[in-house]
């Protein structure tokens, strides 16, 4: 009985993920397309919960909802000549895009069917989240510690490059003086 | 005291209880409002009920060019998020879903408010509402990281992401005693993800109501109820993570959970009414230069204590 329910939930989530993913390209509004993608990701995250990958599933939902909420703003803000407040098509290079996506789908689907998947040899760990954490942060800790400063430096560099006002605009020649900002921040500077 | 999962047939009861706590909070706030305007506080207790009845009878305002699916979806999401959040919070010794990653669940659900707030503003096809939505998202970027690190502290102390384990780990000493900064930050963030008090600029009077400006009838009722329910759910999470859950003398565990949740919520309501509005652009600096370092320092202290004990 519980197998039946699990199977049913899986199919509902799978269909929801695919249909809302396809709707991204059918909608004529930036906001709807973005949130259709968010629904698709939520369905994928819920499907991961079915695989008992609780942490990965929830983090997928968390990150993707956050990302789509921010992305909707950026898409509407930067949509060039079209203010994105009008109905507009969500596709360009239609033929090429359709060809590529059909090809990728066929290759991946063929992979699912033809690859000789190995049989499970051991039982899964009792606490999958803890074992996932130990795998990532245990022997790979050095890699993680190396990646973190690189990622952080990238973020800082991108913000510095994108910021319209540099520190010389804010402080003048003497960087120790008080900044002249149009709005003061919340901590009294 | 171990937390045990109960059958899902109790889920409707949990929803009713959540709505009850939310209604109690609304009634308390109504009484405070009445008191502040010189009326008898008792007269204000029923004000939210009258308002709910009025909104249920009110005809929906129809707006030109509104994106109705997104607008109504956003409005309903607030209540759904609150219900999902209490799913992992124990009431005394009972919990609906004792997820192994309950803390991450709470975090994932509170992020749904980002989407809901923006959809509410976008869907109405109104400038005031859209400006309000952008205010909410801008402030979300400021409070979310302190919130995440405030949630991590009790999980590190208990060595588990399971809310039941976190409650059990407080049998000797409540976490609020030795991680007060995390508790304070979490409470502030509860106000923030419930779109309340100092964090309600997106629906402020300077924007003619912001995301609430165009809402009418049952849509408005759903959003207002969703905000109260989120405040109630957030208070319940604070009780489980920092205030020992159902621990307490004399009364049964479920009564202590409920009582503490009501007290936390009452404190948040009083606080929200006393604090001034925080402009989102100012909140950015407060969140990143004060909130985040404080949360990280508290986490460092907690981690060192945990290391020292083991």
């Amino acid at each position: 009985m519980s197998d039946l329910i699990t199977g049913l939930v899986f199919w509902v989530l799978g269909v929801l993920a695919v249909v809302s993913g396809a709707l991204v390209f059918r909608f004529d509004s930036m906001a709807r397309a973005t949130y259709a993608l968010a629904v698709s990701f939520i369905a994928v995250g819920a499907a991961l919960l079915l695989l008992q990958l609780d942490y990965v599933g929830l983090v997928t939902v968390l990150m993707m909802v956050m990302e789509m909420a921010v992305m909707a703003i950026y898409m509407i803000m930067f949509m060039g000549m079209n203010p994105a407040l009008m109905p507009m098509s969500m596709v360009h290079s239609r033929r090429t895009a359709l060809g590529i996506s059909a090809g990728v789908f066929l290759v991946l689907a063929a992979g699912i069917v033809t690859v000789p998947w190995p049989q499970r040899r051991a039982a899964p760990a009792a606490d999958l989240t803890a074992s996932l954490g130990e795998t990532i942060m245990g022997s790979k800790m050095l890699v993680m510690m190396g990646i973190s400063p690189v990622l952080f430096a990238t973020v800082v560099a991108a913000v510095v490059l994108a910021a319209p006002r540099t520190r010389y605009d804010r402080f003048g020649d003497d960087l120790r003086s008080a900044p002249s900002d149009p709005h003061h921040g919340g901590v009294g500077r | 005291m171990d937390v045990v999962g109960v059958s899902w047939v109790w889920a409707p009861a949990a929803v009713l209880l959540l709505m009850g706590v939310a209604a109690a909070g609304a009634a308390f706030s109504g009484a405070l409002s009445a008191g502040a305007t010189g009326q008898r506080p008792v007269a204000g207790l029923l004000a939210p009920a009258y308002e709910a009845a009025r909104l249920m009878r009110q005809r929906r305002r129809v707006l030109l060019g509104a994106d109705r699916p997104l607008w109504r979806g956003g409005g309903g999401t607030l209540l759904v998020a609150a219900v999902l959040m209490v799913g992992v919070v124990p009431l005394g010794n009972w919990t609906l879903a004792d997820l192994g990653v309950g803390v991450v669940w709470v975090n994932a659900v509170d992020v749904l408010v980002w989407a809901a707030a923006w959809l509410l503003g976008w869907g109405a096809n109104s400038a005031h509402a859209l400006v309000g939505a952008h205010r909410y998202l801008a402030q979300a970027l400021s409070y979310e990281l302190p919130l995440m690190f405030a949630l991590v502290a009790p999980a590190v102390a208990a060595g588990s992401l399971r809310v039941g384990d976190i409650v059990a780990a407080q049998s000797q000493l409540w976490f609020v005693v030795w991680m007060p900064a995390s508790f304070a930050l979490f409470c502030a963030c509860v106000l923030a993800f419930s779109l309340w008090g100092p964090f309600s600029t997106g629906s402020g009077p300077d924007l003619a109501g912001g995301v609430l400006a165009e809402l009418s009838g049952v849509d408005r009722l759903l959003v207002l109820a969703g905000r109260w329910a989120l405040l109630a759910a957030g208070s319940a999470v604070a009780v489980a993570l920092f205030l020992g859950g159902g621990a307490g003398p004399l009364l049964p565990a479920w009564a202590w959970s409920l009582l503490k949740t009501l007290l936390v919520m009452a404190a948040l309501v009083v606080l929200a009414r006393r604090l001034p509005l925080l402009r989102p652009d100012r909140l950015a600096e407060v969140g990143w230069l004060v909130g985040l370092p404080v949360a990280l320092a508290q986490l460092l202290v907690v981690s060192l204590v945990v290391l020292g004990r083991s």
Side-chain angles (χ1 to χ4, degrees):
Chain A
M1 184 60 187
S2 77
D3 275 355
L4 179 72
I5 294 177
T6 311
L8 209 63
V9 173
F10 170 77
W11 275 102
V12 169
L13 290 173
V15 169
L16 184 63
V18 172
V19 168
S20 53
L23 279 177
V24 170
F25 302 98
R26 298 288 301 169
F27 281 141
D28 61 358
S29 128
M30 281 288 174
R32 284 192 186 186
T34 311
Y35 280 92
L37 196 53
V39 169
S40 182
F41 275 123
I42 290 175
V44 170
L48 285 170
L49 293 183
L50 276 189
L51 298 175
Q52 277 146 27
L53 293 170
D54 294 353
Y55 183 77
V56 182
L58 285 179
V59 164
T60 305
V61 173
L62 193 159
M63 298 307 291
M64 286 307 154
V65 171
M66 208 182 252
E67 191 172 318
M68 290 305 139
V70 174
M71 191 177 87
I73 290 187
Y74 277 84
M75 288 192 13
I76 286 161
M77 202 158 63
F78 290 130
M79 218 35 215
M81 45 194 252
N82 189 319
L85 300 171
M86 294 297 170
M88 61 180 291
S89 165
M90 290 294 130
V91 287
H92 50 79
S93 318
R94 202 186 178 94
R95 289 240 177 96
T96 331
L98 270 178
I100 292 175
S101 45
V104 170
F105 175 78
L106 285 178
V107 168
L108 291 179
I112 293 172
V113 180
T114 53
V115 166
W117 296 103
Q119 289 291 318
R120 168 177 280 172
R121 280 171 303 186
D127 187 347
L128 285 173
T129 309
S131 84
L132 176 74
E134 271 164 24
T135 312
I136 297 176
M137 304 305 264
S139 57
K140 309 283 192 306
M141 196 61 190
L142 192 62
V143 183
M144 289 297 177
M145 299 288 277
I147 290 175
S148 311
V150 175
L151 277 178
F152 188 66
T154 314
V155 172
V156 172
V159 171
V160 166
L161 288 177
R165 276 159 53 82
T166 69
R167 54 193 172 143
Y168 291 104
D169 295 318
R170 295 182 65 219
F171 293 94
D173 290 338
D174 182 9
L175 293 181
R176 285 164 303 180
S177 61
S180 64
D181 291 332
H183 300 287
H184 292 289
V187 294
R189 291 189 306 170
Chain B
M1 181 189 73
D2 269 348
V3 171
V4 291
V6 295
S7 160
W8 56 268
V9 294
W10 288 97
V15 174
L16 283 181
L17 189 61
L18 172 71
M19 296 317 294
V21 174
F28 178 57
S29 180
L32 289 181
S33 287
T37 53
Q39 294 167 284
R40 284 184 310 123
V42 184
L45 278 178
L46 280 176
Y50 293 148
E51 175 68 2
R54 184 185 76 83
L55 288 174
M56 268 195 262
R57 280 164 44 88
Q58 189 184 49
R59 184 188 279 191
R60 269 185 177 138
R61 196 182 316 163
V62 179
L63 294 176
L64 195 66
D67 194 331
R68 253 185 279 172
L70 292 189
W71 196 19
R72 299 207 176 138
T77 301
L78 292 176
L79 202 51
V80 171
V83 169
L84 289 177
M85 195 178 281
V86 288
V88 296
V89 179
L91 174 72
N93 302 336
W94 314 306
T95 180
L96 275 176
D98 202 14
L99 277 188
V101 289
V103 174
V104 188
W105 173 273
V106 169
N107 201 187
V109 168
D110 92 66
V111 168
L112 286 181
V113 176
W114 290 43
W118 191 80
L119 287 174
L120 266 179
W122 169 267
N125 190 30
S126 141
H128 286 120
L130 190 60
V131 173
H134 282 64
R135 283 187 183 180
Y136 273 140
L137 266 190
Q139 104 182 359
L141 289 171
S142 311
Y143 76 71
E144 194 64 41
L145 276 175
L147 169 60
M148 282 182 178
F149 285 106
L151 279 173
V152 169
V156 167
S160 167
L161 290 167
R162 189 188 298 273
V163 180
D165 291 347
I166 294 178
V167 172
Q170 298 174 69
S171 55
Q172 304 294 326
L173 187 62
W174 292 1
F175 283 167
V176 66
V177 177
W178 57 292
M179 43 187 95
S182 289
F183 175 68
L185 278 172
F186 181 77
C187 286
C189 292
V190 169
L191 282 179
F193 70 64
S194 327
L195 319 176
W196 265 110
F199 304 98
S200 61
T201 45
S203 46
D206 59 330
L207 269 182
V211 295
L212 300 176
E214 305 291 349
L215 286 165
S216 55
V218 86
D219 297 330
R220 189 181 183 87
L221 178 61
L222 205 56
V223 171
L224 296 181
R227 278 171 46 169
W228 281 112
L230 275 168
L231 194 61
S235 309
V237 174
V239 167
L241 295 190
F242 294 99
L243 297 174
L250 297 177
L251 293 176
W254 64 266
W256 272 115
S257 280
L258 197 57
L259 189 63
K260 288 180 195 170
T261 304
L262 286 169
L263 285 176
V264 170
M265 190 174 179
L268 288 179
V269 168
V270 171
L271 212 60
R273 299 171 61 90
R274 293 201 154 263
L275 294 175
L277 280 178
L278 269 172
R279 263 179 26 204
D281 52 336
R282 295 198 150 193
L283 184 67
E285 220 172 68
V286 176
W288 285 86
L289 295 184
V290 180
L292 188 57
V294 166
L296 286 174
Q298 175 75 85
L299 188 56
L300 180 67
V301 170
V302 170
S303 307
L304 289 178
V305 169
V306 169
L307 269 181
R309 273 196 316 208
S310 63

